[in-house]
Amino acid sequence: MTYPKWGWVLGVATVTAVVAFGVASWQASAAPTPGASPTVPAEQATVSNPDPGPAPSAGIGQDALTSTELGKARALAETTALKAGAKDVTGSAGPEYLAADIADADTGRTAELYYYDYQGNRLVKQVVDLRSGKLAGSYAATGMQLPPAEREVRTALDLLLASPLSAELKDAYAKATGQPFTGQELSPTAHIYHALPADSGAPQCGKNRCLRLIVQTTDGHILDLDKIIVDLSGRTVARLN
Amino acid sequence: MGTGMTYRKAAAGAAVVLIVASPAAGRAPAAAQAAAPAACVSSATVNETLPNGTTWRMCWHMDARAGLVLDKVSFSAKRSALPVQVLESIRLGQLNVPYDSGETEFNDLTDYGFGDGNLQTLTGEDCKGGSARQGSDGGPEGTRRNVLCVSAEPSGLAYRLNDGDEDTPKVYSKQGFDLVLRSISKVGWYEYVSEYRFGDAGQISARLGATGDLSPTDYVKADNGWPIGKGAKDYAAMHYHNAFWRVDFNLGGTGKEKVEQYDTKVNGRGSMSAKLTTARTSIAKEGSFAKANRRWWRLVSPASKNGDGHLRSYQLVTGANDVYEAHPETTPDVTFTQAHACEKFATGNADPQCPREKSILDFAKNKETMTDPIMWVRVGFHHVPRDEDQSPMPLHWQGFDLEPRDFTAINPAAPDGRQNVDGRPS
């Protein structure tokens, strides 16, 4: 039976120890050779690299909601009661779909879906029991915000471009790229803005759903729009003082 | 979550024991291997054995706001072959980034999100030498991408012992390895690395790394910035990264951990040196706590014991940590709260089902008696920019360790020849 000298499968520590000690003694008395490789090769560790396989139709336990489950959950969550009187970020009927999380449930699979109703300025949480296929709860609150959905970010950029404050974006674009802004492609992200007591310019934000945009040009410049706040609820654009 | 949570934990603990198919599983009771209800789908399972025989097994998923979430983490090792659950889950609980100028502040989890479109698809050398795992990015459409990197990385010298004498040395010397899970989220100009390292002797390290670029727009005066361009002109704003983690233990799969605080005080002098005495304080009710010299906390199972008959526990070990006293929420070092499904984020908690529960201070306010404690760990880093931060910014890290305390009777990776060393040498 042969033992791999440095493999981790080696079960006899004393053999390793004796060899290692021999190497250590040799190193102490010999001048190091510049550029030589280490006398004790590094032990390697690898991890498995499994094939992810096809997308699962349903998850187990706390697995992320699958697209199939999300479709089912949305169908159950988007009730007549939810849609009644609600408006999305474009002003059309029905609430804006924001996010869906797997809930920390004892058993089964429970989805928590979040919507924003721009008419009532409220965040709605719809709890769906995927196993029974039932809406298990519905909650709404004002003054509460979740991160923006992609469509909300695009809408915020459109509102800014259509507002008098678009001059600031154009200036920032010219300053960053050296080119005039004539409708070039922009890559926006955004975060929720909550007005704090000392803030002026957009004190309604928090109650209203407001975004601060981070706009990047195609060549990677980030435009300085830190003081611009887009109020998606009021469809206004303001500058913080 | 009361009795429901208890049931879940018991079931989950059993499930982990049942499903593990590690090289060591042959020593598990045969009956325990019969049924095998999976804790998660196979693509969401990480099950890796490190060179010394330690196996970590867990499930992972991405959350739109929290980013990487690890669920049902269990440990087994060469000398403790039966997998035992450690964590129910671990994830970030907030990342608050206020700038010293007072002009801007971000809450990157709850106002922006580490998952969904901000979660980066792994590319380049993001996962060199590791395995890029595919799963949902946590977004509203459940888009599957390569978002988790799993790798095994050397952790340096694990132990060293010369058990012989000068003439006949008997050296035990071993390099260690960590199982490392990481994901990357781009939040504006910053790119954050959520990293968890699972050591081959049971240690767990939670870290947040920051790279990308400094804010392109936050330039200030000399008293709250640092000049990073030529001369003394461009003062990049100093700022904080106040990170929170939410840690839910499930030691031995039985849950109901007890929280303990330990303090050691100088107490007179002995014949040669000072006497120090250590006292335990039980923390039965919710509350927030601050570090003091030699103070530490642990979560102890009320039921699960190691081979020495000691109750299993994990200890919180914190290191470098800047307190941000400008917010009451970012002042305490650790907050323990009773598990409630509604209480998801350390600050900026926004659940219409519990509109008054906005932060850990609200969660803990009624000093509820804890039967299922959640540990919220805050680690702050005051970032003073420097020339080297441009560009890309070299990663800076902040985090903490969870150290097993009496989880196994001896070093779970003890080499042959030391396996019987347990207690006072005879």
Side-chain angles (χ1 to χ4, degrees), chain B residues 257-276:
Chain B
E257 292 81 15
K258 304 284 184 199
V259 182
E260 293 176 349
Q261 175 178 304
Y262 285 82
D263 286 282
T264 302
K265 292 198 164 70
V266 174
N267 187 17
R269 293 198 66 85
S271 60
M272 289 185 78
S273 63
K275 279 185 182 173
L276 278 72

Side-chain angles (χ1 to χ4, degrees), chain B residues 42 49-50 58 95 155 169 173 176 195 203 208 220 225 237 240 269 316 341 353 396 417:
Chain B
S42 61
T49 301
L50 293 165
M58 63 199 75
L95 176 58
S155 57
S173 174
E195 184 179 280
Q203 189 194 53
L208 177 73
V220 293
Y240 254 89
R269 293 198 66 85
L316 171 64
Q353 195 173 347
H396 55 79

Side-chain angles (χ1 to χ4, degrees), chain B residues 9-166:
Chain B
K9 287 203 159 174
V16 169
V17 172
L18 295 173
I19 56 179
V20 167
S22 71
R27 281 179 247 174
Q33 294 178 64
C40 50
V41 297
S42 61
S43 57
T45 305
V46 172
N47 181 16
E48 299 294 338
T49 301
L50 293 165
N52 73 351
T54 288
T55 298
W56 285 100
R57 185 183 171 111
M58 63 199 75
C59 301
W60 66 277
H61 76 273
M62 294 295 174
D63 179 88
R65 283 174 284 176
L68 179 59
V69 186
L70 304 182
D71 302 296
K72 302 198 179 353
V73 178
S74 70
F75 168 87
S76 62
K78 190 171 73 173
R79 302 215 176 273
S80 53
L82 194 67
V84 180
Q85 189 170 356
V86 178
L87 296 170
E88 185 64 22
S89 71
I90 188 167
R91 62 168 173 81
L92 281 166
Q94 183 59 290
L95 176 58
N96 168 247
V97 185
Y99 279 68
D100 288 15
S101 59
E103 293 298 313
T104 195
E105 178 163 9
F106 302 93
N107 287 300
D108 286 341
L109 261 53
T110 55
D111 288 345
Y112 207 104
F114 264 31
D116 192 5
N118 298 326
L119 184 67
Q120 299 295 288
T121 302
L122 299 173
T123 183
E125 296 200 357
D126 292 346
C127 193
K128 196 174 184 181
S131 168
R133 303 290 173 89
Q134 189 188 84
S136 164
D137 62 14
E141 315 304 331
T143 309
R144 288 173 72 81
R145 299 188 275 129
N146 286 343
V147 288
L148 176 73
C149 180
V150 178
S151 62
E153 299 181 3
S155 57
L157 192 62
Y159 57 73
R160 206 270 187 189
L161 171 70
N162 184 351
D163 188 34
D165 56 32
E166 219 170 288

